[in-house]
Amino acid sequence: MTSRTAIVTGGASGIGLAISRRLVGDGTVVAIFDVDGGAARDAATEICTDGGKAIGLAVDVADRTAIDAAVTEVRSTLGPPAILVNNAGITVAGPFLELTAETWNRVLAVNLTGTFDCCQAVLPDMVEQNWGRIVNISSSSMHSGVPGMAAYVTSKAGMVGLTKVLALEFGRRGITVNTIPPGFIETPMMRDSLSKGVFDMDLQVAKTPVGRVGRPEDIAATCSFLVSEEAAYITGQIIGVNGGRNT
Ligand code: NAP
């Protein structure tokens, strides 16, 4: 792929970092948007040391003004974005009757409205180029639900719906929109959930047909293909990367 510009949200850690590294390795110029600006800049520096081109920007995807300012900076420093990976996400676990409106709203604001805002901020550039790729990182939890994760699972199911609508609206403009729902990938987020007892590692591995925990690179490889030229006929799809399990 020849120097298209990509934005990866939540790209300073875990799955987003692996995607950023992979896209730079593919020859893409990457802007990492992360709420932790220092980590975003460090990740970009590390990628650049390896010979690629990347920048890191402090962006809370729940803040539309910050998104718009960052996209403007990407346009002027790297060129118009043609690839968007909506990966930033947060998870909160607890019984439904104890879920506060504040927590519900924050999870929806980051995971779902953040995806909506990033898509709306970047799609005009894709329309202008008559080419675009959006990959939304949802979650395998949206297939079956997970007790105690109402806000998270609802936000991820919403991302799937948004993916399907955007695929229909923008298909004739050379823009594809797909979602990868990862299943149990070893990242800081997953390690945090394990330490809080939300998941049991051995049980999760036992439920996974390929018999191992997923790696961020497993998601990055699929994302790399979905944003490629060759994936032009794939849109509106849910591409599970979950070791063979659907929950
Ligand atoms: P992670 O290691 O926690 O990485 C998420 C990144 O997003 C972090 O750098 C985080 O920054 C950043 N972020 C959080 N809130 C943000 C915001 N408001 N604006 C911008 N950036 C923000 O998690 P991960 O496991 O790689 O997860 C990546 C995505 O995959 C998430 O959407 C998650 O729901 C999804 N997913 C993961 C798994 C899994 O098994 N790991 C399974 C299914 C789905 P801070 O660290 O500073 O908060």
Side-chain angles (χ1 to χ4, degrees), residues 38-118:
R41 284 185 287 277
D42 288 348
T45 303
E46 179 228 305
I47 288 169
C48 291
T49 306
D50 289 345
K53 189 168 178 189
I55 61 170
L57 298 171
V59 183
D60 179 348
V61 297
D63 178 348
R64 177 60 185 262
T65 305
I67 292 168
D68 287 340
V71 171
T72 299
E73 188 170 341
V74 170
R75 266 185 218 114
S76 63
T77 57
L78 302 178
I83 296 167
L84 170 65
V85 182
N86 287 300
N87 164 82
I90 56 173
T91 181
V92 179
F96 179 72
L97 291 178
E98 293 171 20
L99 179 59
T100 65
E102 187 185 20
T103 298
W104 170 270
N105 288 334
R106 179 66 188 166
V107 173
L108 271 285
V110 173
N111 296 2
L112 183 55
T113 310
T115 299
F116 157 78
D117 278 326
C118 288

Side-chain angles (χ1 to χ4, degrees), residues 145-171:
V146 176
M149 298 188 76
Y152 180 78
V153 174
T154 302
S155 71
K156 295 297 185 176
M159 288 175 77
V160 175
L162 182 61
T163 298
K164 291 191 169 287
V165 173
L166 295 183
L168 296 176
E169 285 198 30
F170 292 95

Side-chain angles (χ1 to χ4, degrees), residues 11-226:
S13 172
I15 292 169
L17 179 57
I19 291 171
S20 300
R21 277 198 192 112
R22 175 65 192 245
L23 295 189
V24 166
D26 290 344
T28 307
V29 175
V30 172
I32 295 172
F33 287 9
D34 203 283
V35 70
D36 183 340
R41 284 185 287 277
D42 288 348
T45 303
E46 179 228 305
I47 288 169
C48 291
T49 306
D50 289 345
K53 189 168 178 189
I55 61 170
L57 298 171
V59 183
D60 179 348
V61 297
D63 178 348
R64 177 60 185 262
T65 305
I67 292 168
D68 287 340
V71 171
T72 299
E73 188 170 341
V74 170
R75 266 185 218 114
S76 63
T77 57
L78 302 178
I83 296 167
L84 170 65
V85 182
N86 287 300
N87 164 82
I90 56 173
T91 181
V92 179
F96 179 72
L97 291 178
E98 293 171 20
L99 179 59
T100 65
E102 187 185 20
T103 298
W104 170 270
N105 288 334
R106 179 66 188 166
V107 173
L108 271 285
V110 173
N111 296 2
L112 183 55
T113 310
T115 299
F116 157 78
D117 278 326
C118 288
C119 288
Q120 212 174 54
V122 166
L123 269 162
D125 292 286
M126 296 180 178
V127 169
E128 182 77 20
Q129 295 169 80
N130 225 17
W131 197 95
R133 298 282 186 267
I134 297 176
V135 178
N136 294 323
I137 307 299
S138 53
S139 167
S140 61
S141 65
M142 64 82 199
H143 290 296
S144 62
V146 176
M149 298 188 76
Y152 180 78
V153 174
T154 302
S155 71
K156 295 297 185 176
M159 288 175 77
V160 175
L162 182 61
T163 298
K164 291 191 169 287
V165 173
L166 295 183
L168 296 176
E169 285 198 30
F170 292 95
R172 288 176 188 274
R173 312 306 297 261
I175 298 165
T176 68
V177 189
N178 293 289
T179 181
I180 301 173
F184 207 64
I185 310 297
E186 193 173 0
T187 66
M189 176 191 278
M190 178 50 67
R191 283 192 286 277
D192 183 56
S193 294
L194 287 167
S195 72
K196 290 175 179 158
V198 178
F199 296 108
D200 176 84
M201 174 76 96
D202 293 338
L203 181 63
Q204 297 303 321
V205 172
K207 284 164 60 178
T208 305
V210 305
R212 69 165 171 85
V213 176
R215 304 179 188 109
E217 292 74 19
D218 293 320
I219 308 301
T222 307
C223 189
S224 167
F225 175 64
L226 287 175

